[in-house]
Amino acid sequence: NAGVMQNPRHLVRRRGQEARLRCSPMKGHSHVYWYRQLPEEGLKFMVYLQKENIIDESGMPKERFSAEFPKEGPSILRIQQVVRGDSAAYFCASSGQDSYEQYFGPGTRLTVT
Amino acid sequence: KQEVTQIPAALSVPEGENLVLNCSFTDSAIYNLQWFRQDPGKGLTSLLLIQSSQREQTSGRLNASLDKSSGRSTLYIAASQPGDSATYLCAVPTQGGSEKLVFGKGTKLTVNP
């Protein structure tokens, strides 16, 4: 029973490049959440998606960040024109239709040089 | 605005000791509270989820209690072991049954052999 999968686990990008982070939810889960953990800070909510729908993106920076969860395939968090301040661990979580319990993936650690 | 505070920020104990981690939240109108464990450089592992109608949940040597009216939860770890060393995070929904979680900054626990 595979858990939440994220790839890549580590990603290095130069300033100005694009970063694409992928998340495959647990089998049977249709809700996906993205959180960001900056160094020495707690996890902060970014966006909540269901298949083909963005339900809540109140935690997403207004520019350069976007997320999608297509009908087929993983959820993608995309960061355009990365800056040093985007360096962080990005975690994806999923939950089922009838439960609030969120299960987290191992995270993607983004380093912007 | 929901805020979560965890005390202490760090705790170091000898093996075998029983210990209590504290979590407080400002908005008591929550549907549930979740405790997680995070190992260095790793993702989050869900430990316990307490529904608002419950006062406590137990899993092995872990016991979590919830007092909604006072905005507090405690995680009790019995007979601590070096393998329990990790950061423990408490999370609640931003409001009511919201799917967005607000996290505390965690308690970093070190259990010394």
Side-chain angles (χ1 to χ4, degrees):
Chain A
N1 182 19
V4 178
M5 298 175 68
Q6 291 188 249
N7 66 82
R9 296 290 305 277
H10 299 274
L11 182 61
V12 179
R13 285 285 178 266
R14 291 199 190 97
R15 277 180 297 170
Q17 291 185 320
E18 178 179 290
R20 279 183 180 243
L21 288 61
R22 294 175 187 78
C23 168
S24 297
M26 281 181 74
K27 188 175 181 181
H29 284 186
S30 57
H31 300 203
V32 166
Y33 316 81
W34 286 93
Y35 294 84
R36 177 166 66 174
Q37 187 174 38
L38 292 166
E40 306 304 321
E41 292 192 21
L43 278 87
K44 304 285 187 195
F45 168 83
M46 299 181 74
V47 62
Y48 162 41
L49 311 104
Q50 295 179 18
K51 286 283 187 181
E52 300 185 283
N53 280 306
I54 297 175
I55 306 302
D56 185 336
E57 56 181 350
S58 58
M60 288 276 271
K62 294 285 187 284
E63 298 176 351
R64 302 185 298 106
F65 285 72
S66 62
E68 62 176 9
F69 189 15
K71 189 176 181 181
E72 302 291 338
S75 175
I76 307 284
L77 179 67
R78 183 181 175 209
I79 311 172
Q80 295 178 291
Q81 300 175 322
V82 296
V83 301
R84 288 234 171 95
D86 297 333
S87 295
Y90 292 82
F91 291 97
C92 167
S94 71
S95 67
Q97 191 77 17
D98 301 319
S99 172
Y100 289 113
E101 189 163 8
Q102 295 185 21
Y103 295 86
F104 281 73
T108 293
R109 278 149 187 85
L110 172 66
T111 302
V112 180
T113 61
Chain B
K1 179 187 171 188
Q2 181 73 274
E3 293 180 3
V4 178
T5 304
Q6 290 188 248
I7 295 172
L11 182 62
S12 182
V13 300
E15 183 176 3
E17 194 160 297
N18 301 326
L19 57 100
V20 174
L21 308 181
N22 297 291
C23 170
S24 61
F25 45 94
T26 53
D27 184 349
S28 61
I30 58 169
Y31 281 17
N32 59 70
L33 179 145
Q34 206 166 349
W35 281 95
F36 294 89
R37 166 187 174 139
Q38 185 175 26
D39 293 280
K42 301 283 180 65
L44 279 68
T45 301
S46 179
L47 297 173
L48 290 163
L49 181 142
I50 313 176
Q51 303 288 359
S52 60
S53 57
Q54 299 173 313
R55 294 193 69 84
E56 62 179 62
Q57 272 277 35
T58 298
S59 176
R61 293 182 293 108
L62 305 179
N63 176 278
S65 68
L66 175 62
D67 184 345
K68 269 186 58 175
S69 60
S70 67
R72 293 183 183 179
S73 175
T74 60
L75 180 67
Y76 174 83
I77 303 177
S80 58
Q81 302 170 359
D84 295 331
S85 298
T87 296
Y88 290 80
L89 299 168
C90 163
V92 295
T94 51
Q95 57 182 18
S98 168
E99 294 83 2
K100 299 189 297 188
L101 294 180
V102 178
F103 282 82
K105 291 190 177 181
T107 294
K108 185 175 181 181
L109 173 65
T110 303
V111 181
N112 301 301

